[in-house]
Amino acid sequence: MRLELYLDLLSQPCRAVYIFAKKNDIPFKLCTTEVFKGQLLSKEFFQINRLRKVPVLKDGDFILTESSAILIYLSSKYQTADHWYPSDLQARARVHEYLGWHADCIRGTFGVPLWTRVMAPLIGVPVPEEKVQRNRTSMDRALQQLEDKFLGDRAFLAGQQVSLADLMALEELLQPVAVGYDLFEGRQRLAAWRERVEAFLGSDLLQETRGPILNILEQAVNKKVPNPPPEVYPYMLLRISRIP
Amino acid sequence: MKNGIPFELRSVELGRGEHLKPEFLKVNPLGKVPALKDGDFLLAESVAILLYLSRKYHAAAHWYPPELQACARVDEYLAWQHTAVQLPATNIYLCKSLLPYFSEQSVDPVCLDRLLGKLKPALQHLDREVLAAKPFLATEELSLADLMAFTELMQPTAVGCDVFQDWPRLAAWQARVEAALGPELVRDAHRLVLQPRDPRDAQRDPKLAQELVQRLLERLS
């Protein structure tokens, strides 16, 4: 039975998993599960993940959630190149150090602009400017720490080679960029890092992965974003209410 | 401690703003505890530190199993717990203990209630789904997942918010973990959080108290 990956490419962690699997030629069946079409709420998906989230990995009977856990699992099972998840004790610790901080300071924060600029207005629930500003401040703070503490004068976030840390960070940072907020502007070190990571991953793969997220702003402008089905609304409203 | 790893404990008192001072920022520029210093190697983030210690000191396999799928389960819990458990549990502790202490006001019951509500989904998931299937949170044995969960959930509990009260499986799990770790070690580790705060301490530095109150209010709003 083939490895299955349940992904919505609008989601940052899903893109990280997709890119990793593709870049490493890991054979899998893509089970696209679209959040805004209510597909997380289906009975079938509930059997896959009761927490109703993506990404999910299904390897035979083994079901795994959490993007970082999935990435580590894939790197171990398919014995990917060492730099992704180094075997060296201290180098590996650096990856985990980044992933821990990422969970607190990146996740939840960089996804907000998609909501403030596209999804909340789509369902007629605009987010107050005060919250937009607060989110900007949070992103700025995180980006400063990213540049100073994690990147420093190194080529990549956890060392001198691309690792899982860079993949996770890149797709998160891309989210606001995709909806028109260029957070790389005025941040040369981060922009240079981005270029290095993207050069390593390859533009074809990135274009393929980012199709949906790069299109969504244009779709929104042309009023072509499909209306989410009613059963998704409570979840969307909950997410919007959680924006600090 | 449980694994007999030799270490030097350097106390960093958050209540005295020690995490904001230059000496500590040299160790962890993120200004947070825990932090590890192994020779010249500096490491932050509790999960990263636990994994580093397990590996370097060859802790027993059950803590972080070598088998692919078992290891993945521990990774899965450790990833999930940041936002699902650690964040809400810490906020409850801050609302119930730290904020009233520094602001010299009583606990805000509306805020506390809201924050308890945010922890509830995780408690429900652990009690009804995870522990219904196995005795520990990630595998059939005690692992780093249980250790993280145990200490995170002790935080609000130690200051009087019994997060286990509606969740029998979780309460049983807690007792199991405490027994496995050793009650004396658990008590020792939680000594500071279990003891009531000295009210005089807070006003020793009113400017610091004000700054901490400001940060806390922002975080808990």
Side-chain angles (χ1 to χ4, degrees):
Chain A
M1 218 194 304
R2 213 158 42 128
L3 182 75
E4 291 176 353
L5 293 175
Y6 291 78
L7 309 174
D8 180 340
L9 294 179
L10 286 179
S11 139
Q12 312 86 294
C14 287
R15 289 198 297 274
V17 170
Y18 183 83
I19 291 167
F20 185 76
K22 284 276 180 171
K23 182 72 183 166
N24 288 287
D25 296 311
I26 295 169
F28 69 93
K29 177 177 170 208
L30 175 64
C31 301
T32 299
T33 311
E34 293 183 76
V35 177
F36 296 112
K37 290 191 177 160
Q39 291 173 353
L40 291 184
L41 305 175
S42 73
K43 264 182 274 192
E44 299 80 45
F45 190 71
F46 188 67
Q47 298 310 313
I48 299 293
N49 183 13
R50 297 178 142 211
L51 292 168
R52 295 198 155 115
K53 286 185 171 168
V54 278
V56 185
L57 170 150
K58 187 171 187 293
D59 195 357
D61 289 328
F62 181 63
I63 291 176
L64 186 64
T65 64
E66 295 298 325
S67 53
S68 55
I70 292 171
L71 288 169
I72 292 169
Y73 178 85
L74 290 175
S75 72
S76 298
K77 179 166 179 175
Y78 295 90
Q79 312 245 303
T80 55
D82 188 72
H83 64 81
W84 286 112
Y85 188 54
S87 47
D88 173 75
L89 177 68
Q90 291 188 358
R92 183 168 290 190
R94 286 274 165 256
V95 175
H96 278 289
E97 184 185 53
Y98 175 76
L99 292 176
W101 177 81
H102 175 104
D104 289 335
C105 299
I106 300 283
R107 271 313 277 156
T109 301
F110 286 76
V112 169
L114 174 65
W115 288 92
T116 58
R117 290 183 177 223
V118 181
M119 300 317 294
L122 182 69
I123 60 168
V125 181
V127 178
E129 184 60 25
E130 180 199 23
K131 292 195 171 193
V132 174
Q133 284 311 319
R134 199 171 293 140
N135 176 242
R136 284 235 173 121
T137 307
S138 298
M139 287 196 288
D140 283 340
R141 202 180 304 140
L143 290 169
Q144 202 59 53
Q145 288 187 325
L146 193 63
E147 258 189 345
D148 293 341
K149 144 88 190 167
F150 291 100
L151 193 56
D153 51 13
R154 284 174 293 281
F156 299 101
L157 296 177
Q160 296 297 0
Q161 291 190 284
V162 175
S163 73
L164 300 179
D166 302 285
L167 200 46
M168 292 284 279
L170 181 66
E171 288 314 303
E172 283 289 342
L173 264 52
L174 190 88
Q175 200 83 337
V177 174
V179 294
Y181 179 59
D182 189 1
L183 46 82
F184 289 100
E185 194 178 311
R187 292 182 188 275
Q188 277 99 319
R189 270 187 298 165
L190 271 185
W193 162 82
R194 175 195 177 176
E195 254 177 71
R196 282 192 292 276
V197 183
E198 292 190 341
F200 180 83
L201 297 172
S203 56
D204 286 345
L205 172 56
L206 291 174
Q207 230 158 26
E208 179 193 321
T209 311
R210 293 169 180 175
I213 193 65
L214 290 173
N215 284 332
I216 201 148
L217 187 62
E218 195 184 316
Q219 280 181 295
V221 164
N222 295 324
K223 308 233 185 279
K224 288 223 169 94
V225 181
N227 262 316
E231 60 268 21
V232 190
Y233 275 56
Y235 292 89
M236 292 179 71
L237 292 172
L238 184 63
R239 177 65 190 93
I240 292 164
S241 73
R242 286 206 194 115
I243 299 170
Chain B
M1 282 292 287
K2 180 78 179 165
N3 287 284
I5 296 169
F7 69 97
E8 193 185 318
L9 176 68
R10 297 282 191 92
S11 281
V12 179
E13 287 187 53
L14 304 182
R16 297 223 170 128
E18 286 177 8
H19 58 304
L20 304 170
K21 302 212 173 108
E23 309 89 69
F24 181 68
L25 291 174
K26 261 186 254 160
V27 176
N28 182 12
L30 298 168
K32 286 175 162 184
V33 281
L36 170 149
K37 187 173 188 298
D38 194 357
D40 289 328
F41 182 64
L42 300 168
L43 187 66
E45 294 299 324
S46 49
V47 171
I49 293 171
L50 286 169
L51 292 171
Y52 178 84
L53 291 174
S54 309
R55 214 171 141 209
K56 179 165 178 175
Y57 294 93
H58 308 291
H62 65 83
W63 289 110
Y64 192 58
E67 301 87 24
L68 184 65
Q69 291 188 1
C71 179
R73 283 277 167 258
V74 180
D75 286 332
E76 184 184 49
Y77 178 81
L78 294 175
W80 177 77
Q81 61 88 33
H82 285 280
T83 35
V85 179
Q86 185 176 59
L87 180 63
T90 302
N91 284 347
I92 293 165
Y93 164 78
L94 295 174
C95 175
K96 181 75 164 55
S97 175
L98 213 66
L99 180 59
Y101 175 68
F102 280 107
S103 64
E104 295 189 298
Q105 315 239 301
S106 52
V107 178
D108 177 348
V110 171
C111 179
L112 186 62
D113 217 50
R114 178 171 47 87
L115 295 174
L116 284 164
K118 295 217 167 158
L119 183 59
K120 189 176 166 189
L123 299 174
Q124 184 168 312
H125 175 69
L126 292 176
D127 188 274
R128 301 266 170 90
E129 313 273 347
V130 179
L131 292 170
K134 51 192 175 213
F136 294 99
L137 299 184
T139 64
E140 301 291 325
E141 294 181 84
L142 185 73
S143 76
L144 294 179
D146 304 283
L147 185 56
M148 278 298 287
F150 183 86
T151 49
E152 291 302 335
L153 295 176
M154 261 299 261
Q155 200 75 344
T157 308
V159 296
C161 288
D162 183 7
V163 299
F164 298 96
Q165 67 186 9
D166 297 323
W167 311 106
R169 285 198 193 98
L170 205 52
W173 162 85
Q174 202 246 9
R176 219 175 294 133
V177 175
E178 181 161 336
L181 295 173
E184 222 176 277
L185 175 58
V186 168
R187 215 169 18 243
D188 180 44
H190 290 92
R191 199 177 10 103
L192 286 178
V193 94
L194 283 167
Q195 77 194 19
R197 294 178 181 275
D198 183 342
R200 291 164 300 169
D201 251 359
Q203 287 315 313
R204 205 167 284 168
D205 187 342
K207 193 162 162 262
L208 174 67
Q210 205 176 29
E211 189 185 335
L212 288 176
V213 168
Q214 187 65 10
R215 284 179 182 229
L216 287 171
L217 285 173
E218 226 178 87
R219 178 181 167 139
L220 299 177
S221 66

